[in-house]
Amino acid sequence: MNENSFYVRYYVGHRGKFGHEFLEFEFRPDGRLRYANNSNYKNDTMIRKEVVVHPAVMDEVRRIISESEILRENDQKWPVPDRVGRQELEILMGSEHISFTTSKIGSLMDVNNSTDPEGLRCFYYLVQDLKCLVFSLIALHFKIKPI
């Protein structure tokens, strides 16, 4: 791995009445953003999108991750995945490679009641920021109608 290596993958999902429902996205080293959303609710179909983002977007994702200080955290005391679901976050940034796994977080109350509220809060807010950015990028790229 070199100093410029960069990769991010996030997954949240569960298996339930409607099958395997999940949301997953990844920022790949070549600038590709891959997005998948599988909801079988009311026979919905899987949504898959892929787009190449500008290097400035990749720099912004790196900045968001760096400022979150998530690379200093450890998921040993976080809630383990259960029947409600699981979340996974994998980050490769330079020579650092981390992977987190925890249960779905319903609200900040779940974070505050955990055995590691500071670490889980860092994870929670980082995931919110990344999801917001990804949803915005996908919406901008695929839903804007030209005049």
Side-chain angles (χ1 to χ4, degrees):
M1 291 183 282
N2 65 37
E3 265 184 47
N4 296 322
S5 296
F6 183 71
Y7 173 80
V8 178
R9 184 185 69 83
Y10 173 73
Y11 164 91
V12 60
H14 69 276
R15 294 185 189 277
K17 183 165 84 171
F18 300 106
H20 184 202
E21 296 182 294
F22 66 89
L23 165 75
E24 183 174 36
F25 59 81
E26 65 180 356
F27 288 93
R28 299 177 59 99
D30 60 2
R32 278 188 292 158
L33 164 59
R34 298 180 66 188
Y35 169 88
N37 189 341
N38 188 37
S39 170
N40 293 324
Y41 181 68
K42 293 188 177 179
N43 295 321
D44 221 354
T45 59
M46 184 179 317
I47 300 167
R48 287 190 184 274
K49 303 288 183 188
E50 186 172 318
V51 63
V52 176
V53 297
H54 192 274
V57 173
M58 295 298 281
D59 291 343
E60 182 64 10
V61 175
R62 279 187 194 91
R63 185 195 66 76
I64 290 169
I65 291 169
S66 291
E67 288 186 7
S68 76
E69 298 186 348
I70 192 71
L71 297 173
R72 296 181 182 176
E73 298 301 333
N74 185 324
D75 66 354
Q76 283 185 327
K77 295 182 181 177
W78 295 0
V80 295
D82 55 19
R83 65 172 188 77
V84 174
R86 72 185 295 121
Q87 293 185 86
E88 299 170 1
L89 178 66
E90 180 182 4
I91 300 171
L92 169 64
M93 215 158 114
S95 61
E96 294 189 69
H97 184 205
I98 59 168
S99 183
F100 297 109
T101 303
T102 188
S103 65
K104 276 185 170 179
I105 299 172
S107 68
L108 274 176
M109 188 178 295
D110 295 340
V111 172
N112 293 334
N113 293 337
S114 74
T115 54
D116 180 16
E118 289 303 313
L120 202 53
R121 188 174 296 111
C122 178
F123 174 85
Y124 177 82
Y125 283 122
L126 172 60
V127 164
Q128 295 301 316
D129 289 345
L130 291 175
K131 282 170 50 174
C132 187
L133 176 63
V134 167
F135 291 153
S136 296
L137 290 168
I138 295 297
L140 282 169
H141 188 77
F142 291 101
K143 293 183 181 172
I144 291 181
K145 305 250 190 270
I147 297 175

